[in-house]
Amino acid sequence: MPVLFLGSLCLASQAWAGGAARTDDDDPAVNAKGVVVNNILAVLRVSPNSAGNQCLKTLDEMRRVQKQLDDEETAQRSFDVGLLRDVLESDMESVIASCGRDARTACGGGVAGQNARLGKICNQLSELDSEDQGDDLQ
């Protein structure tokens, strides 16, 4: 079990190494989801042990697609950037669902009390959950 835990932490470090989800996209839906993902990551950075395997997998996939989108936009290639944005948005929804649960667990475990910013994020995450299980991000 310690090896699995250590592996999870290494994967978490890789997934979070890029820092944040996109919030500078031309698509407002991607930006809105990026804000929610970044809030979730802020909580999980304080409590990395709360991130489960599914969360780590979805984060890794989101970062891969985000990098691919960045590369395509920078190179101004003819690849369907709109398709990549759709995939990124879907990946962000997966991160919000899987990692959001983990972040809310961390919030319930005391992370919210560490500082005012985390307290505010935890309140937003619990409101998001109570609204309709994360489907409505606005």
Side-chain angles (χ1 to χ4, degrees), residues 81-97:
V81 172
L83 176 63
L84 280 173
R85 277 196 182 110
D86 289 346
V87 173
L88 178 60
E89 187 177 352
S90 176
D91 287 347
M92 287 176 158
E93 290 171 1
S94 296
V95 167
I96 290 167

Side-chain angles (χ1 to χ4, degrees), residues 33-47 96 99-108 110-131:
K33 286 178 177 65
V35 169
V36 176
V37 169
N38 290 335
N39 285 340
I40 289 167
L41 291 176
V43 171
L44 294 178
R45 280 187 188 105
V46 174
S47 181
I96 290 167
C99 297
R101 282 188 297 271
D102 297 342
R104 286 188 293 277
T105 298
C107 287
V111 168
Q114 291 193 14
N115 64 51
R117 179 174 178 263
L118 288 174
K120 182 179 176 184
I121 289 171
C122 286
N123 285 336
Q124 289 172 344
L125 290 175
S126 77
E127 288 171 12
L128 181 70
D129 188 42
S130 66
E131 283 174 5

Side-chain angles (χ1 to χ4, degrees), residues 25-100:
D25 198 272
D26 293 336
D27 184 340
V30 170
N31 293 333
K33 286 178 177 65
V35 169
V36 176
V37 169
N38 290 335
N39 285 340
I40 289 167
L41 291 176
V43 171
L44 294 178
R45 280 187 188 105
V46 174
S47 181
N49 296 340
S50 298
N53 287 333
Q54 186 60 37
C55 171
L56 299 175
K57 286 177 187 176
T58 58
L59 277 171
D60 190 44
E61 179 62 19
M62 181 196 72
R63 297 292 301 151
R64 186 188 65 72
V65 171
Q66 184 169 298
K67 181 180 180 337
Q68 185 179 3
L69 178 58
D70 290 343
D71 291 347
E72 292 297 327
E73 287 178 334
T74 301
Q76 296 181 342
R77 289 182 259 206
S78 62
F79 190 83
D80 189 356
V81 172
L83 176 63
L84 280 173
R85 277 196 182 110
D86 289 346
V87 173
L88 178 60
E89 187 177 352
S90 176
D91 287 347
M92 287 176 158
E93 290 171 1
S94 296
V95 167
I96 290 167
S98 64
C99 297

